[in-house]
Structure formats: structure tokens, C-alpha cells
Amino acid sequence: MKSKSLVSIDQCTKEDILRILDNAARFEANPNRVLLEGKVAATLFFEPSTRTRLSFETAVNRLGGRVVGFQDASTTSSSKGETLKDTILMVSNYADLIIMRHYLEGAARYASEVTGIPVINAGDGANQHPSQTLLDLYTIRQTQNRLHDLQITIVGDLKYGRTVHSLIVGMSHFNPSFHFVAPEELRMPDEQKHFCDKQGIPYVEHTDFTEEIINHSDILYMTRVQRERFTDLEEYERVKNVYILRKDMLSQSKANLRILHPLPRVNEIAYDVDDSPKAYFIQQARNGLFVRQAILCDVLGINHLI
Ligand code: CP
């Protein structure tokens, strides 16, 4: 990677991505390796999380490191008005790297510019979630035996979905074709569509979520309509249940189709889908542990994985 921090997936070359995925496969084969002995990681979560925080913390623990941090910023001095800059500088006095989730877009980049220790972006507002993208790519490769030339359908909140925005950039190295399914209010932003145009990546936008679209897909990436991103709650109520994937909608889908979701889900995947062999979102979240172990080693410059 160009920087020792991981703030955005667009800083990763194709070689960076493949190296991290290959190292993640090594961690999947053996997640318990003493590579971070004596290192302290700080997890600073200004927004709620289950998977990202716990998988990063598990990753550090399984690598022999230690974790400090907070999962609720209201218990910290930021609630007394301490700036993000001062918080980052204080934590940099104590820890060897920072893993941060923040509600403000650009917060991770800013943090990486004010500190000398690596910063891993664990999600910044509606902007980026690079570690999620790397685990998504790992999961796509694991389920399809390749990353190239796949038909990927992304459904739900494409406007505010940081996992979606990062996924498009991450997949851009591998000649994908996209179908974007969203209600008018949550359409893919122009920035991401311009990116696809510039990269020559074909995409089709839909407002209807049909079986025909599902039947052409190799990956069906469902997303949650994120209540916390709406300023107008009436608008949220209008769109919150707009697309619900049911098992019967998969009857004519390709044998290799796999259903992914960054999670948490609310209503967008019915529980009868969980029994389908095409449902892969729980394994996807499991992969987060191995991929985050690989990311931690990468940003700390640990290349020799014993
Ligand atoms: N996918 C994801 O970021 O999940 P959490 O919000 O639970 O971390």
C-alpha cells in the first residue's frame, strides 16, 4: 500500500489486494499466530458496530497483541468537547495503531494525517469501509474461485452505503459488470457512476428488484436501508422495506450464485433464505477475522507470517 494507513480502498493496488487476500487465506488455515506480541491496538468507535469491532479485536488477540479503546464515545472526553485531533494525538501516545469508526466522512483520512501511527478506517459516514471490501473480495473469490468477469447485483441503499461505494472501487480491478437496484431516493451517487464510466465498467440501474436480475447474477449483494443516515424519517419509512429477498425468488438462479450482505440485516433478507446453500453472509462475516488479521500485519509492515 502507498500509505501505512488504510483509509480508503482506492489506495490499494490490485497487487496489494491480492497480497492481503492470500495472507488472509493463510490466517484462515491457522488464525493463532504470535505476530503482534508487545503491540497495542486502539479501537475508537464513535458509531455502533458488532462485526467490525469484534473481528478486529479478535484478530489482534489471536495474533498475540492487546487492545484498548472505546465503543461508546459518550464515555470519553470527546463528550466534554475534546477535538478529534487531540483524541488521536492522545491515543497515539499509548498505542501502536488506531482502528477507528466515525460518523464523519473523511475522519479516518484526517486522523491519518495528524498521527504518525497507522490508522485503519473501520467506516467513515457514508464514505468508505475498506476492510469490509477486502473481506467481501475474499468471500467473492472463495465462492466463485475467481474475482474476474463476474455479474454483481447490488441491492438497497446505494446512496449512503459505504460498503457499496468501497466494493465498486475494489472490484474495478477485476472487470466486473454491475446491476444497481435502488429506489429513486437511494440511487447510486453520480460519483460512483462517473467512476464506473471512467473505468469502462458496465452497469445498469433498476428500481424494480426482479427474478430476472437475480437469475443473471453471480453475486447478489443485499444491503440495509440505514435509518441512521436519514435526516427525514418519513423518507426512511417510505423506503425501509422496499426490497425483501425471499427464498422462492432464487428458484431459477445460477448454481454459483451466492448472497452476500455486510450485515446487520433488518428486513431485506427473509429468514427462509438462511436455509439456502446460496446464502453466504454468515460465512462472509467470519472471513472478516482472517482478512483483518492480514490487514493488521500489512499496515504494521509484518511480512513474514510465521
Ligand atoms: N458490516 C459491518 O460494518 O458491521 P458492523 O456495523 O456490525 O461493524
Side-chain angles (χ1 to χ4, degrees):
M1 281 186 282
K2 285 179 206 149
S3 156
K4 62 181 178 176
S5 292
L6 176 62
V7 297
S8 172
I9 197 69
D10 56 20
Q11 73 186 74
C12 294
T13 63
K14 183 176 179 180
E15 289 68 35
D16 291 330
I17 291 171
L18 294 175
R19 180 184 64 254
I20 290 169
L21 301 198
D22 289 345
N23 286 341
R26 296 194 181 107
F27 285 118
E28 182 167 12
N30 176 14
N32 298 311
R33 299 166 187 244
V34 184
L35 293 166
L36 297 190
E37 195 169 23
K39 300 280 187 204
V40 176
T43 51
L44 314 185
F45 276 68
F46 292 84
E47 270 194 341
S49 167
T50 296
R51 277 146 292 274
T52 309
R53 186 175 66 82
L54 293 179
S55 61
F56 263 122
E57 292 187 354
T58 306
V60 175
N61 281 310
R62 288 196 181 275
L63 294 174
R66 290 169 188 257
V67 178
V68 296
F70 55 83
Q71 52 182 301
D72 178 0
S74 70
T75 65
T76 74
S77 289
S78 65
S79 67
K80 302 176 202 163
E82 185 160 57
T83 62
L84 181 60
K85 179 178 179 183
D86 284 357
T87 302
I88 295 297
L89 291 176
M90 287 311 105
V91 174
S92 305
N93 284 333
Y94 314 135
D96 298 291
L97 85 155
I98 290 172
I99 300 157
M100 185 174 82
R101 172 169 289 186
H102 203 282
Y103 48 86
L104 286 180
E105 295 180 23
R109 183 169 303 284
Y110 175 73
S112 75
E113 287 168 0
V114 299
T115 181
I117 65 172
V119 174
I120 299 175
N121 182 4
D124 60 330
N127 185 34
Q128 282 272 325
H129 195 347
S131 68
Q132 178 71 45
T133 298
L134 289 163
L135 80 88
D136 291 344
L137 296 184
Y138 184 81
T139 306
I140 291 169
R141 188 172 79 166
Q142 184 175 65
T143 61
Q144 307 296 319
N145 294 316
R146 69 185 205 277
L147 281 165
H148 282 93
D149 305 322
L150 294 170
Q151 295 277 342
I152 299 183
T153 297
I154 309 179
V155 181
D157 179 357
L158 310 191
K159 180 178 177 184
Y160 299 114
R162 59 193 173 200
T163 65
V164 169
H165 302 161
S166 292
L167 181 63
I168 290 168
V169 178
M171 280 305 300
S172 67
H173 300 284
F174 305 104
N175 195 37
S177 299
F178 288 118
H179 288 265
F180 299 144
V181 184
E184 282 298 334
E185 297 89 332
L186 297 176
R187 283 177 65 168
M188 188 65 77
D190 286 343
E191 184 185 339
Q192 280 71 30
K193 288 190 283 185
H194 290 157
F195 174 82
C196 289
D197 292 337
K198 216 169 132 191
Q199 300 288 323
I201 297 170
Y203 64 88
V204 184
E205 293 186 275
H206 311 264
T207 50
D208 289 334
F209 182 35
T210 65
E211 289 184 38
E212 194 189 343
I213 301 170
I214 295 173
N215 296 345
H216 281 101
S217 305
D218 300 306
I219 293 291
L220 180 56
Y221 194 94
M222 300 295 295
T223 67
R224 173 176 69 97
V225 176
Q226 303 171 90
R227 188 176 187 278
E228 63 274 25
R229 305 274 176 241
F230 284 77
T231 46
D232 177 353
L233 284 185
E234 277 182 26
E235 187 177 317
Y236 169 73
E237 289 298 324
R238 269 199 308 279
V239 295
K240 68 178 184 185
N241 290 326
V242 64
Y243 306 125
I244 298 177
L245 178 68
R246 300 180 315 275
K247 193 174 183 179
D248 62 63
M249 295 165 74
L250 302 172
S251 60
Q252 303 299 316
S253 60
K254 289 167 135 181
N256 64 307
L257 174 76
R258 289 297 176 272
I259 300 153
L260 306 188
H261 191 311
L263 303 176
R265 72 173 143 175
V266 185
N267 289 326
E268 58 280 359
I269 300 179
Y271 279 92
D272 67 353
V273 174
D274 293 14
D275 300 334
S276 166
K278 296 176 180 176
Y280 209 77
F281 33 89
I282 302 300
Q283 297 95 320
Q284 177 189 4
R286 179 175 181 269
N287 287 337
L289 168 61
F290 316 125
V291 172
R292 289 179 170 123
Q293 288 183 297
I295 293 169
L296 289 165
C297 290
D298 219 75
V299 299
L300 289 168
I302 298 167
N303 304 315
H304 184 61
L305 308 186
I306 53 170

